[in-house]
Amino acid sequence: MVDVTEKKMDNPTFKSDTVLSDVHLYCPNKRHLMVRLNAVGQPVFLSYFKLLWNTEDLASEKHVREATTVREHQYRSGNELCDKDRNKLKTERELNSEGVEALLDDDGDLEVVRRPRSASDLEAEDLLRDRVYPVVLMKGKEDAFEDEQQECTCSDVVKIEHTMATPLEDVGKQVWRAAFLLADYILFKRDTFRCCSVLELGGGTGITSIIMGTVAKRVYCTDVGEDLLAMCEQNVALNKHLMEPGGGEVKVKELDWLKDEFCTDPEAPYSWSEEEIADLHNHCTVIMAADVFYDDDLTDALFRMLYRITHNLRNSCTVYLALEKRLNFTLRHMDVTCEAYSHFRNTLSDLENLQDRKIKYTVEPVKLDFCQFLVYERIEQL
C-alpha cells in the first residue's frame, strides 16, 4: 500500500509501508503454502526451491518455461479466435435482423439470446484455469506438498519458510534474489568452500547458509530479531538432510551490527558462548552477505562490524558480497538512480583505501558466468 501525503501542491511525499520480493512470483507453477502465523501475526509460507544439479535439469526447466510461453500464446490466440467468432456472429445477426423487430417479453423487456459457447472459448478457459495455483491454509505441521515431493528427491529440494510482504524492518523474512546468486556461486565453487568455517551476516531466512552448509564444516548464520531467527532455525531443521552427508553444521546466532560486542547473555535466545566466539575467531576464513545493502545507515554499520570481526580473525579471510542494484525514480534527482548501491560502492572503496598497518583489504569483482543451480531470474542488475 502506498500513501501519498501532500504537504504542498508542488511537494508530494510518497510513503510505502510494505516491501515485496518477487522471487516467489517468478515460478507460477509452484504453490506457496501458508503454514502458520508468526509471533507478530504475519502469514508464513513454505516453498520448495529445486536444485538443478545437471544439464538435464536445466534443459527440463527451460522446457517448462518454453511450454508456459507457448500456452500463453495459445491463450492469446484463443482470445483472438473468440473475437473473430463474436464479430462474425455480430455481422450475421445484423444481416438477419434487418426488418425484424426485437424480441420482447410480456413486460416489454428485451430478451437477450445467448449464443452457444464455442470450442475456442472453452479451450481458452482451460488454459487460464491451468495457470491458477491457489494458496492453501494448512493446519498442523503435516506436509501438504506430497505431489511435489514425489516429483523431487530429498537431495534436490530446499524447503524454506518465509513471508511475502513485510515492513522494511522485516525484509529479512523474505527470500531475495541475491541470496540465490550467492548460493549458485557456492555450489559452483564447492571445492573452494569445502570444510571451511563460515560467517553469514544478515542471513535472513537462512537459504544461503543452508547451501553453504552442504559443503562447509561449520556456518554461523546471523541476524537480529527473535522471530526472524526462529524462522531461520526452522529452515535449518527442515534442510538437515542436505547437510548431513557432508557433515556440515549451521548454527543460528544473533549478531547486531549496531552493537560493538557479541551477545553472550546465556538467558538470551541465540546468544554466543565464549567457545563459539573463540571458534569463529580462530577458524573463520569466509564471510558472506546477500542483499543487505538497502539502507545507508545499516550499510555503514555492517562495514564497521566487518572491520571489527576481520581484525580479530587469526587467518586471512575472503568476504563474498552479493546484491541487486535496485533502480528507483527519485524526486530529489528527478531521474532513475540507485542510491543504496552507490553508497555501498563508496563505502567499499573507503574500506579498500583504508590505511591500516595490521590488515589490508582488496576488492575484486566476480564474473557472473557461473552455472545456475536454483530456479530464479538472474537479471543483469545482480
Side-chain angles (χ1 to χ4, degrees):
M1 181 182 295
V2 178
D3 296 330
V4 181
T5 304
E6 194 168 346
K7 298 178 182 178
K8 296 181 180 179
M9 291 299 292
D10 58 346
N11 188 25
T13 302
F14 298 88
K15 295 180 179 179
S16 176
D17 57 1
T18 56
V19 182
L20 175 65
S21 167
D22 62 352
V23 166
H24 58 279
L25 300 177
Y26 180 67
C27 305
N29 295 334
K30 300 297 181 185
R31 292 184 300 167
H32 301 275
L33 188 75
M34 177 180 164
V35 292
R36 60 185 173 86
L37 295 176
N38 61 19
V40 294
Q42 298 165 333
V44 176
F45 297 84
L46 175 65
S47 296
Y48 277 28
F49 298 102
K50 186 177 181 182
L51 291 166
L52 308 175
W53 290 115
N54 52 53
T55 54
E56 291 180 1
D57 288 335
L58 290 169
S60 175
E61 190 63 35
K62 181 180 179 182
H63 173 72
V64 170
R65 290 196 294 268
E66 290 175 349
T68 302
T69 304
V70 169
R71 289 165 66 185
E72 289 175 346
H73 175 71
Q74 288 174 343
Y75 176 63
R76 289 193 293 268
S77 299
N79 275 342
E80 293 170 1
L81 289 173
C82 292
D83 293 337
K84 290 179 181 179
D85 290 341
R86 293 189 188 98
N87 293 333
K88 182 179 179 181
L89 185 62
K90 181 180 178 182
T91 303
E92 291 176 353
R93 285 180 175 172
E94 289 175 351
L95 292 174
N96 295 333
S97 63
E98 292 181 0
V100 179
E101 294 183 2
L103 297 176
L104 304 176
D105 62 13
D106 294 338
D107 297 329
D109 298 324
L110 178 66
E111 285 189 348
V112 179
V113 180
R114 302 286 183 184
R115 72 174 177 85
R117 301 178 71 184
S118 66
S120 56
D121 279 338
L122 298 173
E123 181 184 359
E125 185 176 321
D126 287 342
L127 289 169
L128 180 61
R129 183 184 295 116
D130 197 37
R131 288 180 58 78
V132 175
Y133 294 86
V135 175
V136 184
L137 178 63
M138 181 181 70
K139 295 181 179 179
K141 296 186 178 180
E142 297 176 1
D143 191 351
F145 281 102
E146 293 178 358
D147 55 337
E148 292 170 16
Q149 194 172 24
Q150 291 173 359
E151 297 176 3
C152 306
T153 63
C154 292
S155 61
D156 60 10
V157 166
V158 182
K159 302 178 191 177
I160 295 294
E161 285 193 0
H162 60 93
T163 58
M164 285 192 180
T166 63
L168 186 63
E169 60 267 21
D170 284 337
V171 292
K173 297 177 181 177
Q174 300 187 56
V175 182
W176 297 94
R177 215 179 331 234
F180 286 103
L181 181 72
L182 187 51
D184 275 345
Y185 186 75
I186 293 166
L187 293 173
F188 182 70
K189 293 282 190 178
R190 285 190 283 269
D191 291 340
T192 301
F193 303 107
R194 200 171 302 280
C195 298
C196 286
S197 184
V198 181
L199 170 68
E200 181 175 13
L201 302 174
T205 62
I207 186 168
T208 308
S209 284
I210 290 167
I211 296 298
M212 179 64 86
T214 64
V215 292
K217 179 181 179 182
R218 182 173 294 111
V219 182
Y220 291 100
C221 181
T222 67
D223 216 310
V224 291
E226 185 175 345
D227 195 49
L228 170 59
L229 293 171
M231 177 190 291
C232 182
E233 190 173 52
Q234 168 70 1
N235 287 332
V236 172
L238 286 172
N239 295 279
K240 273 192 173 180
H241 62 282
L242 296 175
M243 296 170 277
E244 286 175 349
E249 178 186 23
V250 176
K251 291 190 172 186
V252 179
K253 297 293 176 182
E254 178 184 324
L255 186 58
D256 191 340
W257 306 340
L258 300 177
K259 297 179 180 178
D260 293 337
E261 303 294 336
F262 291 87
C263 176
T264 56
D265 181 1
E267 300 297 324
Y270 308 106
S271 62
W272 296 73
S273 67
E274 295 297 336
E275 292 78 9
E276 288 169 335
I277 296 174
D279 175 65
L280 177 72
H281 288 159
N282 291 332
H283 300 106
C284 180
T285 56
V286 174
I287 298 176
M288 60 182 184
D291 248 333
V292 295
F293 305 103
Y294 55 89
D295 178 88
D296 290 354
D297 292 336
L298 288 178
T299 296
D300 293 339
L302 181 142
F303 276 98
R304 287 195 296 269
M305 173 64 71
L306 195 62
Y307 179 82
R308 289 195 297 269
I309 291 176
T310 51
H311 265 64
N312 289 314
L313 297 182
R314 174 174 292 184
N315 304 301
S316 61
C317 178
T318 305
V319 183
Y320 295 90
L321 305 175
L323 70 157
E324 179 180 341
K325 294 188 288 185
R326 293 181 173 84
L327 304 174
N328 297 289
F329 180 85
T330 61
L331 294 175
R332 183 158 62 94
H333 295 94
M334 292 303 292
D335 197 1
V336 176
T337 63
C338 191
E339 293 183 306
Y341 176 74
S342 299
H343 184 77
F344 158 74
R345 289 305 302 263
N346 291 335
T347 311
L348 191 63
S349 297
D350 292 341
L351 185 67
E352 187 178 22
N353 297 328
L354 184 67
Q355 299 295 326
D356 192 312
R357 295 180 180 179
K358 183 179 179 182
I359 192 169
K360 177 178 176 57
Y361 300 91
T362 59
V363 178
E364 298 178 5
V366 176
K367 293 183 179 180
L368 303 187
D369 56 356
F370 48 88
C371 298
Q372 185 166 338
F373 292 90
L374 287 153
V375 181
Y376 67 100
E377 187 180 12
R378 190 184 284 186
I379 60 176
E380 60 183 26
Q381 283 78 24
L382 285 173

